[in-house]
Amino acid sequence: MEQSVRANSWQGSLPKIGIRPIIDGRRGGIRESLEEPTMKMAQACAQLLSGRLRHPNGMPVECVIAETTIGGAAEAARTAEHFRREGVGVTISVTPSWCYPLETIDTDPHMPKAIWGFNGTERPGAVYLAAALAAHNQKGLPAFGIYGKDVQDMGDGSIPSDVQEKLLQFAQAGLAVAAMRGKSYLSLGGVSMGIAGCIVDEAFFQNYLGMRNEYVDMTEFVRRMERGIYDRDEYARALAWVKEHCRTGEDVNPPSLRRTAEQKEKDWESVVKMALIGRDLMIGNPKLAEMGYEEEALGHNAIAAGFQGQRAWTDHFPTGDFMEAILSSSFDWNGTREPLIMATENDNLNAVTMLLGHLLTNSAQIFADVRTYWSPEAVKRATGQELSGAASGGVIHLINSGPAALDGTGEQTIGGKPAMKPFWEITDEEVSRCLAATQWRPAIDFFRGGGYSTDFTTRGGMPVTMARVNLIKGIGPVLQLAEGSTVELPVDIHRVLDERSDPTWPTTWFVPRLTGSGAFKDVYSVMNHWGSNHCAVSYGHIGSELITLASMLRIPVGMHNVDEDRLLRPSVWPAFGANDPTGADYRACQAFGPLYR
């Protein structure tokens, strides 16, 4: 299968990382002796990041090193201008020595910034690090401090593993911040069934994410479908691919509500067109310009979107489930490619959470209802059997008809274990397994317009992170997350529990990692503390990365089970209460305010 790597699906260049080599500016032997080790430190940092990081579209991350070392305000200004020309979106300052903080720091208020101070004794960069961070804090410009645990010798060009980990974590989160800036969230329709997460709060998108909001009524789908405003050749290819690879599952509707074979065939044609149109609305399509639709060809520069669907659309037209699921997956009829983030029910807050997870992992996301907590006692009563192993303390049933990416089957592997991978690592065989593990079930009775929903069960043993951004009056956005793993239940237990909800929808059985206290006292407590009906699920334990990213955006984290030694936040956060990290996070975010206020 081919890989579809685009230079960039959105307007604007891909953000770069700017490396700022900071130096003691005193001439007469001091600066001269430091030029080589300082620049080598910058080069080593750039080599690490460029070698280990990729953008979600598969392109390698570029680092831009300042043209000269920075010993004062003039060189700092010259570097800032250089970085603006190069499209730098995040900066890392590096130094092995003492320098003059106020004259050399990065003062761009919107640029995520970190300082790596070399842990050495000859000319300790740690002294500059502490002084420069103090200057940032006093000026209200939060910066991340990176400092190795072990002393190194001057001239040692290696980067200790603990420093590498922090540099990579900071850079990935900073690139996510930069990637969102200037992009759009596209609302396809309005509020679905009174769900508050569908209400678009423009101040949140503008002030916290640096994004704009675009709105398109769902009738635009009707116009484009009826007038043929889509790539006809691609449609024919997509429909043929669907007929070959997408298995239609059992129809569980009563006979009186089942659609005819002819209607179901038409439904497939409609949902494939919807997928093409939804993609074109988000990122545009030059083919449309060739057809005479120059305006439509542009798209809305949407890095994320949501489709209202229920009920205005689904009472009459086929559901958006196929469109949402296939766009959110890492492959389609064109081969493997970067997933597009599209939320069901226009839940823009869950779309944002999916987007954060995607930008941090480069992989697809699972959208789900946080549907049911099944206690061991309730499972025994319903099935006559007992839960065991990782599920012995109960499980959370994650299930929704909408955009659970087909990657969520767990049929991709890393080291022989179930995984969800960046598209460039996915093999043809893995794509085939994901498709084979998925059935497309005719929509159930309350989707009166027909259509198809994905039906699969996620394989057990995947480390995953469940997350959600909620808006709270008086606070603003708050992130909550739970690291844990997927589990597989015995077939007889799964079948009984699944059929009590909706057997035509994809199921992920989730067990959070427990701490024994608070929201993570037990599985029930996690469910009971969850702040919405929806969540996004990312592959891997990325709680620390999400927390780092949230701190850059000034979004407090109200619930998490990440070990304290994995946390990486701006150096000023402990000033708001070192013995109360959660409270300090809230106070710091309130004090500094949203990144783009």
Side-chain angles (χ1 to χ4, degrees):
M1 178 172 283
E2 295 182 358
Q3 289 186 348
S4 180
V5 181
R6 302 184 182 91
N8 194 357
S9 296
W10 297 276
Q11 302 304 310
S13 59
L14 294 169
K16 301 175 184 177
I17 301 172
I19 311 297
R20 307 175 73 252
I22 310 298
I23 200 166
D24 187 330
R26 292 174 287 185
R27 300 283 182 174
I30 297 177
R31 178 167 183 158
E32 291 82 354
S33 68
L34 292 168
E35 287 284 359
E36 183 178 356
T38 302
M39 194 56 81
K40 281 186 175 180
M41 192 174 174
Q43 292 165 348
C45 182
Q47 185 176 9
L48 168 72
L49 299 177
S50 295
R52 295 278 293 276
L53 297 177
R54 286 207 204 185
H55 293 287
N57 68 351
M59 301 294 288
V61 169
E62 293 184 55
C63 290
V64 179
I65 300 176
E67 294 172 314
T68 66
T69 53
I70 302 169
E75 289 160 327
R78 188 183 306 147
T79 297
E81 178 58 30
H82 177 211
F83 285 179
R84 276 191 288 271
R85 291 196 307 268
E86 290 290 331
V88 166
V90 53
T91 66
I92 300 176
S93 299
V94 304
T95 186
S97 68
W98 165 256
C99 313
Y100 293 0
L102 290 174
E103 298 178 15
T104 57
I105 62 174
D106 170 14
T107 58
D108 186 326
H110 296 154
M111 191 82 71
K113 49 185 65 65
I115 303 172
W116 171 24
F118 185 80
N119 186 358
T121 55
E122 292 89 343
R123 291 185 181 275
V127 178
Y128 171 79
L129 173 64
L133 290 174
H136 277 286
N137 299 345
Q138 191 167 337
K139 286 177 168 290
L141 299 169
F144 290 75
I146 297 175
Y147 179 60
K149 292 180 180 179
D150 298 318
V151 174
Q152 295 178 262
D153 298 328
M154 179 64 76
D156 182 351
S158 67
I159 304 179
S161 59
D162 60 324
V163 173
Q164 289 188 34
E165 183 179 333
K166 291 177 181 178
L167 287 170
L168 290 165
Q169 183 167 324
F170 166 80
Q172 188 75 68
L175 288 168
V177 171
M180 290 185 284
R181 190 181 303 141
K183 308 298 193 305
S184 303
Y185 175 79
L186 176 61
S187 295
L188 299 166
V191 175
S192 172
M193 301 184 296
I195 298 173
C198 308
I199 301 170
V200 175
D201 186 321
E202 291 210 2
F204 164 61
F205 280 91
Q206 177 180 322
N207 296 339
Y208 285 89
L209 308 179
M211 293 173 59
R212 70 169 67 222
N213 297 95
E214 294 280 288
Y215 304 88
V216 172
D217 193 273
M218 290 185 294
T219 55
E220 178 64 6
F221 281 85
V222 180
R223 183 180 81 92
R224 295 194 185 201
M225 290 166 71
E226 291 186 350
R227 300 189 181 190
I229 307 176
Y230 51 84
D231 185 336
R232 318 287 177 78
D233 294 334
E234 184 180 5
Y235 164 69
R237 187 171 70 254
L239 186 61
W241 181 87
V242 165
K243 289 181 176 180
E244 181 179 357
H245 297 288
C246 295
R247 297 187 301 136
T248 301
E250 178 187 358
D251 190 338
V252 299
N253 289 296
S256 61
L257 295 178
R258 291 180 183 173
R259 296 169 71 78
T260 66
E262 182 180 1
Q263 287 174 315
K264 290 178 179 178
E265 185 69 18
K266 291 292 184 183
D267 287 350
W268 271 122
E269 295 173 4
S270 295
V271 299
V272 171
K273 292 175 184 176
M274 289 171 65
L276 296 175
I277 292 167
R279 180 202 62 195
D280 293 351
L281 283 165
M282 289 182 68
I283 62 175
N285 187 345
K287 180 69 174 182
L288 301 184
E290 298 175 15
M291 297 167 59
Y293 297 100
E294 290 85 357
E295 181 182 359
E296 291 84 348
L298 295 174
H300 290 266
N301 199 34
I303 198 171
F307 182 71
Q308 175 193 335
Q310 298 188 71
R311 286 181 46 201
W313 181 268
T314 57
D315 277 4
H316 183 64
F317 293 105
T319 72
D321 292 356
F322 175 81
M323 169 182 66
E324 296 158 2
I326 203 67
L327 292 184
S328 295
S329 299
S330 299
F331 51 84
D332 60 18
W333 44 89
N334 291 320
T336 54
R337 46 115 179 108
E338 180 184 357
L340 290 174
I341 301 301
M342 180 176 283
T344 197
E345 295 162 354
N346 195 26
D347 184 349
N348 58 91
L349 294 180
N350 220 53
V352 166
T353 313
M354 293 169 68
L355 177 60
L356 301 183
H358 171 59
L359 293 174
L360 290 173
T361 66
N362 294 339
S363 59
Q365 306 291 296
I366 297 174
F367 181 114
D369 280 352
V370 185
R371 181 61 66 99
T372 310
Y373 162 67
W374 278 99
S375 68
E377 296 77 15
V379 171
K380 180 68 178 296
R381 178 179 57 81
T383 69
Q385 300 186 53
E386 294 185 355
L387 294 173
S388 61
S392 60
V395 294
I396 296 176
H397 195 181
L398 304 179
I399 178 172
N400 188 286
S401 67
L406 272 62
D407 306 58
T409 57
E411 293 295 337
Q412 301 160 22
T413 59
I414 296 177
K417 297 181 179 180
M420 296 167 65
K421 303 192 294 191
F423 75 88
W424 59 86
E425 297 179 3
I426 299 172
T427 67
D428 291 353
E429 181 185 357
E430 289 171 328
V431 170
S432 297
R433 290 205 303 264
C434 290
L435 289 164
T438 304
Q439 293 186 54
W440 297 90
R441 306 287 290 274
I444 54 178
D445 54 3
F446 52 76
F447 293 129
R448 300 170 185 172
Y452 296 91
S453 296
T454 48
D455 179 22
F456 62 75
T457 303
T458 302
R459 293 179 64 191
M462 280 205 299
V464 294
T465 303
M466 181 174 80
R468 168 74 182 190
V469 173
N470 296 303
L471 287 179
I472 311 297
K473 185 174 177 61
I475 301 177
V478 176
L479 176 68
Q480 56 181 173
L481 63 91
E483 293 184 340
S485 62
T486 63
V487 296
E488 291 181 44
L489 302 184
V491 174
D492 290 344
I493 296 180
H494 166 80
R495 178 179 50 78
V496 172
L497 303 188
D498 198 44
E499 289 180 355
R500 286 178 65 115
S501 182
D502 193 316
T504 71
W505 293 353
T507 280
T508 301
W509 297 108
F510 173 72
V511 174
R513 188 178 68 247
L514 303 177
T515 65
S517 63
F520 293 91
K521 178 182 179 182
D522 49 34
V523 180
Y524 169 78
S525 296
V526 175
M527 176 77 177
N528 200 39
H529 281 81
W530 205 251
S532 173
N533 54 312
H534 290 153
C535 74
V537 179
S538 300
Y539 175 75
H541 288 159
I542 64 164
S544 58
E545 289 85 350
L546 282 167
I547 290 170
T548 295
L549 175 53
S551 69
M552 291 179 178
L553 300 171
R554 320 288 164 72
I555 297 174
V557 181
M559 169 182 166
H560 73 81
N561 58 346
V562 179
D563 293 338
E564 188 173 346
D565 61 2
R566 291 174 54 206
L567 299 182
L568 180 63
R569 286 175 165 136
S571 67
V572 71
W573 257 234
F576 291 87
N579 294 328
D580 176 20
T582 298
D585 186 28
Y586 275 83
R587 290 185 287 273
C589 290
Q590 181 182 37
F592 291 110
L595 182 58
Y596 303 103
R597 64 177 175 180

